[in-house]
Amino acid sequence: MVGKIYGTGSYVPPRVMDNDDLAKIVDTNDEWIRERTGIGRRHIIEEETTSYMAGQAAMKAVEMSGIDPAEIDLILLATSSSETVFPCAACEVQKAIGAVNAAGYDMNAACTGFVLAFNTAQAYISAGFCRTALVIGADSMSNLVDWTDRGTCILFGDGAGAVLLRAEEGEPVYMEAHSDGAKGAALTGLSRHRKGWTGAQEDKESYIHMDGQGVFKFAVRKVPEIIEEVLAKADMSLDEIDYFVLHQANRRIIEAVAKRLKTDISKFPMNLEEYANTSAATVPILLDEMNRKGMFRKGQKIMLSGFGAGLTWAASLFQW
Ligand code: UT7
């Protein structure tokens, strides 16, 4: 059995912050941001929370699928910015959509989170542990960034995306994942809830710190590698893939990956101009946009790949 996508959904907050708005806060400008990243705008939460956005995206995916929420048996929510440590955001989504029979939990692998959650759900389904799974990526990066650091605050946005999977007979899903904890310092988001009971530990801020060029080089090297690994497992060639749906961090990263794979950039859809990097939400938001535009046909081969803090990277190849 494999998990076929029966529905997709996404949610971004209505409040838009464009590059000119950012130029009023930090020393930057629209031209620099567009040229270096491809980003034009980002959507930023006001009153919304990560679990609220996740619930909205989930509702849309469930609605599209036509499946009764009571039939969902698993909710996996990839996030690194839930408003609560517990209850987990997946349980908040369960409550919001009335998925009374589901088990749910959150998964944190930063920007790689959705692809890992998707693969985990596929593994549950193929093992027969569940039949209907909701996989969500949701992040409120605006709560984590340092709004005085022009090197990072320009990159991120907030949002959520979801897919509803239902077990069916079909071609297997091929997947691969890696971590390199030794390079974790390249991209960190420190929690401010770190005071031990003795009070001896420093109470740190929750800002993102990043070696931008280090992360850039890592992505450009490791994403093509993992895509080749998955293709080898599937015994498929690059030109059999219809779309490469990559984590939307930077247009130049995606262009460099396409170039390394000697594959036309038109197979690498992008929406980061509008949403920036919404971390775990980029891949499912893009899947939902493509789906609603009618870009997918039954039997098409789709390669997902996520990469980010950890360092972590993952890929998944499935047939629509
Ligand atoms: O999910 C993964 C998340 N992480 C990423 O995607 C990060 C990957 N890395 C990147 O996207 C790029 O490294 C950045 C977009 C972050 C930076 O681009 P870059 O081409 O690596 O620029 P840089 O850091 O080498 O900086 C070049 C110059 C510097 O000035 P000097 O030293 O040449 O005078 C920076 O101070 O650009 C300056 N700079 C800026 N200028 C205007 C850095 N940030 C900005 C800014 N606006 N926002």
Side-chain angles (χ1 to χ4, degrees):
M1 286 288 184
V2 291
K4 284 279 173 191
I5 295 181
Y6 272 56
T8 58
S10 59
Y11 176 89
V12 291
R15 185 181 164 200
V16 174
M17 187 186 263
D18 67 19
N19 293 341
D20 291 331
D21 294 327
L22 267 177
K24 293 175 196 146
I25 306 174
V26 289
D27 182 13
T28 189
N29 57 74
D30 180 60
E31 195 192 345
W32 192 95
I33 300 174
R34 281 183 187 275
E35 198 185 299
R36 302 284 174 130
T37 70
I39 295 165
R41 286 172 294 282
R42 68 282 297 138
H43 292 243
I44 302 288
I45 52 170
E46 292 180 285
E47 298 301 318
E48 303 94 330
T49 60
T50 298
S51 63
Y52 172 80
M53 294 193 294
Q56 294 295 308
M59 268 179 217
K60 291 181 195 166
V62 172
E63 193 180 275
M64 184 190 281
S65 73
I67 289 170
D68 182 343
E71 288 183 42
I72 298 170
D73 18 59
L74 178 69
I75 302 174
L76 296 182
L77 199 162
T79 185
S80 50
S81 58
S82 178
E83 67 278 10
T84 53
V85 176
F86 47 81
C88 62
C91 287
E92 294 294 309
V93 171
Q94 175 193 28
K95 182 171 67 181
I97 66 171
V100 289
N101 296 311
Y105 58 94
D106 294 356
M107 296 173 68
N108 177 358
C111 304
T112 316
F114 176 82
V115 179
L116 286 169
F118 182 87
N119 285 351
T120 305
Q122 292 292 353
Y124 270 91
I125 289 170
S126 73
F129 287 153
C130 82
R131 198 167 112 80
T132 309
L134 186 58
V135 187
I136 308 165
D139 269 306
S140 306
M141 299 307 286
S142 64
N143 283 340
L144 297 183
V145 296
D146 176 353
W147 288 100
T148 66
D149 176 14
R150 68 177 183 171
T152 50
C153 75
I154 56 142
L155 297 174
F156 297 100
D158 302 332
V163 300
L164 193 88
L165 300 175
R166 167 66 62 106
E168 258 187 25
E169 295 293 343
E171 288 300 309
V173 176
Y174 296 94
M175 54 185 83
E176 192 55 83
H178 299 290
S179 302
D180 185 358
K183 299 210 175 76
L187 181 48
T188 59
L190 298 173
S191 166
R192 72 169 84 81
H193 314 285
R194 282 285 179 259
K195 232 169 192 161
W197 68 274
T198 61
Q201 273 176 287
E202 198 187 339
D203 194 10
K204 288 182 176 140
E205 295 286 0
S206 61
Y207 296 146
I208 291 173
H209 294 275
M210 185 179 69
D211 164 13
Q213 289 187 5
V215 175
F216 194 101
K217 284 180 197 151
F218 143 75
V220 167
R221 199 168 59 243
K222 291 300 182 186
V223 173
E225 253 177 51
I226 200 167
I227 287 174
E228 299 275 17
E229 281 176 69
V230 173
L231 286 171
K233 273 188 174 180
D235 196 19
M236 278 185 213
S237 62
L238 273 165
D239 52 7
E240 287 178 71
I241 305 302
D242 293 281
Y243 291 115
F244 297 83
V245 180
L246 304 193
H247 170 48
Q248 303 285 295
N250 184 316
R251 192 194 60 225
R252 287 191 298 137
I253 292 178
I254 295 173
E255 285 170 351
V257 169
K259 199 169 163 198
R260 281 200 180 205
L261 293 173
K262 299 187 176 62
T263 299
D264 197 88
I265 192 71
S266 62
K267 284 191 174 184
F268 291 74
M270 286 185 240
N271 64 2
L272 50 78
E273 191 199 358
E274 178 64 32
Y275 306 117
N277 178 350
T278 55
S279 194
T282 64
V283 170
I285 291 176
L286 184 52
L287 280 175
D288 183 46
E289 276 194 357
M290 294 172 70
N291 194 20
R292 284 174 197 270
K293 281 183 191 158
M295 288 170 73
F296 294 122
R297 300 275 170 274
K298 197 170 165 47
Q300 277 182 332
K301 298 179 181 75
I302 319 293
M303 178 76 78
L304 309 180
S305 183
F307 54 90
L311 298 171
T312 53
W313 61 109
S316 188
L317 169 57
F318 66 96
Q319 283 203 15
W320 191 263

